[in-house]
Amino acid sequence: MTAKSRTFVKLREIVFSYNVPANLLKNSRFFRSASVSVVGRNLLYFTGKGTRNMDLDQFTSASSDMTMAKFFKAYFFARTTEMFGDIPLTEALQGESAGNFAPKYNTQLEVYQQVLSWLEEANNELANLKEKGNILDGDFFYNGKPEQWQKLVNSFKLRVLISLSKRADDSPALRVKERFAEVLANPTKYPLILENRDNFQLLYNNINTYPLWPTDGVIIKKDVRNTLGATYLNILKTLQDPRLLIQALPASAMPSDPTRPFDVYNGGKTGDLQSTLLKQAADGQLSMINFDYWLASPSGVPSIQLGASEVQFALAEGINRGWASGDAAVRFQSGISQSMLFYGVSQDKINLFLQANPYKGNNAEGLKQILTQKYVAFFENSGKQAFFEQRRTGVPVFDIGPSNANNNQIPKRWAYPKTEYSTNETYLKEALQRQFNGSDTQNDIIWLIK
């Protein structure tokens, strides 16, 4: 794909792939297919005279490119700070253009202030683009519709605000509660992703196939590596959630009783050793994925990056916490409904499930319901969000067992890349001292979740 303007042409990416012949893998117990890819990015720049480098920050007009740049910068800086803690922002991305290869680190508070500012600006500018009837060129997510991107920007803003729940009372500069209430009170100014048709998701096809789709197209409906974890499965099994019957297969060795259909599903404890889990799976003690659902075609299942169910649960959580007025029960039910509809659950079964599992109110029990169902809705989508949410809230409780090589602790963050120590040691160590008294481990607690 190339990006063009009046001033430059850029070769963004080339991918060379090689599929390993199936006959070379026929004796393998674990691999049905394999491929090797080499990716080259930002390979060539052709620019006009007097232009040394070209990047998003060099544009000065209020163009749609700059508007989208604000959203994507907010998206990726937020993701990066969630993973590591303090990160360079103010001096980031300068590199050769400013001769700065060792940028200072900003605090997480500063990062989130800028992220929220970018999102507010992007929302306003997208509203103007919509009013003018402008179309965003090259958009394969929303076909160039500014109004759809506006929904995404504000939905991502809700994700950011909810992620800041532990800082809502001690960081007035962020205005967490106030911003949340503003979004909920003004749906015209701040439209949201509230139905699956607006999901920010990647659709696969016969060329860009679903990741689990075998390169030879031959589906073997038994794969001991693709079993479900007990943390997730037991939630659905206990609540008799119809999504489980779609997502997974019964454990083949479990006794079957037609009157108790959920009893034949069993998940593996994620804290167990891989050798234990593989033996349990081979012996038919664990439920595998439902291959007829996940691999019905090369297109598989859309990869949601931010969807309607998450937004509905975010609204329910904020209302439950008293950040704004509203009906948390309706949002809770809508979150479940949108997730179930994504899997093709019938409306009758959705209604029965909601009747059997009513919202328990704006209290601790109701909050746990919201967080549990949000975790369920993240199954096989939304990147690292399930981990980030569990890290923030402790819901659900993760299993710790003999496979844990971290002193029986669940990691809380990513350590900074080793390259930072060789290229930006001074500012990195300054940030580490400020955050963790010089430590840099996966167990350090970042400001976001203290």
Side-chain angles (χ1 to χ4, degrees):
M1 178 184 291
T2 58
K4 301 179 180 179
S5 81
R6 296 176 184 174
T7 55
F8 77 99
V9 176
K10 178 180 181 180
L11 182 59
R12 290 197 183 277
E13 181 175 296
I14 292 180
V15 181
F16 296 98
S17 297
Y18 171 74
N19 295 324
V20 178
N23 65 316
L24 296 181
L25 302 172
K26 62 183 179 181
N27 294 323
S28 171
R29 291 181 57 195
F30 302 106
F31 300 100
R32 295 198 309 271
S33 62
S35 64
V36 178
S37 296
V38 177
V39 180
R41 292 190 175 95
N42 299 335
L43 300 176
L44 293 173
Y45 259 138
F46 299 98
T47 67
K49 292 182 179 181
T51 304
R52 185 177 182 187
N53 283 306
M54 182 70 66
D55 60 41
L56 291 170
D57 289 318
Q58 287 180 287
F59 290 92
T60 58
S61 64
S63 66
S64 60
D65 291 331
M66 276 303 300
T67 297
M68 297 308 299
K70 289 175 181 177
F71 166 69
F72 283 113
K73 285 195 291 186
Y75 188 93
F76 288 110
F77 275 104
R79 173 185 291 181
T80 306
T81 197
E82 279 186 302
M83 292 173 62
F84 298 102
D86 291 359
I87 58 172
L89 185 148
T90 306
E91 297 183 2
L93 305 178
Q94 293 181 349
E96 189 174 334
S97 63
N100 184 358
F101 296 96
K104 293 180 181 179
Y105 278 62
N106 289 87
T107 66
Q108 285 203 291
L109 172 61
E110 293 168 339
V111 172
Y112 280 109
Q113 283 180 290
Q114 181 61 72
V115 164
L116 290 168
S117 177
W118 277 329
L119 293 173
E120 184 69 23
E121 292 170 11
N123 174 63
N124 293 335
E125 290 168 17
L126 284 165
N128 290 334
L129 291 172
K130 174 188 173 183
E131 186 176 346
K132 295 175 182 177
N134 289 15
I135 299 295
L136 305 175
D137 293 332
D139 171 21
F140 57 83
F141 284 105
Y142 289 129
N143 295 318
K145 299 177 181 177
E147 60 269 28
Q148 294 297 102
W149 284 98
Q150 193 181 7
K151 292 179 181 180
L152 172 59
V153 165
N154 295 310
S155 297
F156 182 71
K157 182 179 181 179
L158 278 186
R159 176 188 282 184
V160 171
L161 293 172
I162 288 294
S163 76
L164 288 160
S165 64
K166 289 182 177 292
R167 302 279 70 83
D169 293 320
D170 62 18
S171 302
L174 295 175
R175 300 181 58 251
V176 173
K177 297 178 183 179
E178 292 85 353
R179 290 179 193 268
F180 181 91
E182 288 167 3
V183 171
L184 191 58
N186 197 340
T188 301
K189 182 177 181 179
Y190 299 107
L192 296 167
I193 297 173
L194 299 175
E195 297 181 337
N196 288 328
R197 63 185 179 185
D198 295 327
N199 286 352
F200 181 46
Q201 62 187 20
L202 177 64
L203 301 177
Y204 298 101
N205 51 48
N206 289 331
I207 298 173
N208 180 31
T209 58
Y210 188 63
L212 288 179
W213 185 260
T215 55
D216 59 6
V218 178
I219 301 171
I220 301 174
K221 297 183 180 181
K222 182 175 182 180
D223 189 343
V224 295
R225 301 163 302 169
N226 280 313
T227 55
L228 275 70
T231 302
Y232 174 80
L233 187 146
N234 287 346
I235 296 172
L236 278 69
K237 184 175 180 177
T238 300
L239 298 176
Q240 298 194 10
D241 191 317
R243 285 171 286 192
L244 179 58
L245 308 183
I246 295 171
Q247 297 169 348
L249 296 172
S252 59
M254 299 286 285
S256 177
D257 181 351
T259 65
R260 301 173 63 88
F262 289 90
D263 288 357
V264 294
Y265 291 85
N266 196 42
K269 292 184 177 180
T270 52
D272 281 350
L273 297 171
Q274 285 295 306
S275 57
T276 301
L277 294 170
L278 285 172
K279 185 178 186 307
Q280 291 174 344
D283 292 342
Q285 298 294 325
L286 303 180
S287 293
M288 291 182 285
I289 62 170
N290 182 357
F291 299 94
D292 287 335
Y293 173 75
W294 297 102
L295 296 173
S297 74
S299 301
V301 179
S303 176
I304 298 175
Q305 302 304 304
L306 199 160
S309 58
E310 178 185 351
V311 176
Q312 295 284 6
F313 288 129
L315 292 170
E317 179 178 345
I319 296 169
N320 178 286
R321 292 182 181 276
W323 293 1
S325 59
D327 194 333
V330 169
R331 299 298 183 179
F332 172 72
Q333 293 170 352
S334 296
I336 294 173
S337 296
Q338 290 302 312
S339 178
M340 288 191 174
L341 288 170
F342 177 81
Y343 289 105
V345 178
S346 70
Q347 190 61 55
D348 288 344
K349 290 182 178 179
I350 294 174
N351 292 340
L352 288 173
F353 181 85
L354 294 176
Q355 291 169 12
N357 299 277
Y359 179 61
K360 296 181 180 179
N362 293 339
N363 49 47
E365 288 189 0
L367 180 59
K368 185 177 180 180
Q369 282 183 296
I370 294 167
L371 298 175
T372 300
Q373 285 299 321
K374 192 177 187 181
Y375 178 82
V376 168
F378 281 141
F379 184 67
E380 289 296 307
N381 67 67
S382 300
K384 298 178 176 65
Q385 282 308 119
F387 167 75
F388 290 145
E389 288 289 306
Q390 196 279 340
R391 180 183 67 174
R392 175 177 69 91
T393 66
V395 178
V397 176
F398 283 168
D399 179 61
I400 297 176
S403 69
N404 185 287
N406 189 39
N407 295 319
N408 292 324
Q409 299 179 75
I410 301 296
K412 297 299 183 184
R413 63 178 285 270
W414 281 254
Y416 289 105
K418 297 299 182 185
T419 52
E420 278 294 278
Y421 285 89
S422 59
T423 61
N424 197 11
E425 184 178 24
T426 299
Y427 289 127
L428 170 60
K429 288 188 174 180
E430 179 182 89
L432 288 172
Q433 188 62 39
R434 178 172 64 231
Q435 297 176 92
F436 316 121
N437 294 320
S439 176
D440 184 15
T441 74
Q442 60 188 356
N443 300 317
D444 295 316
I445 308 298
I446 61 177
W447 171 87
L448 178 68
I449 57 171
K450 281 184 178 179

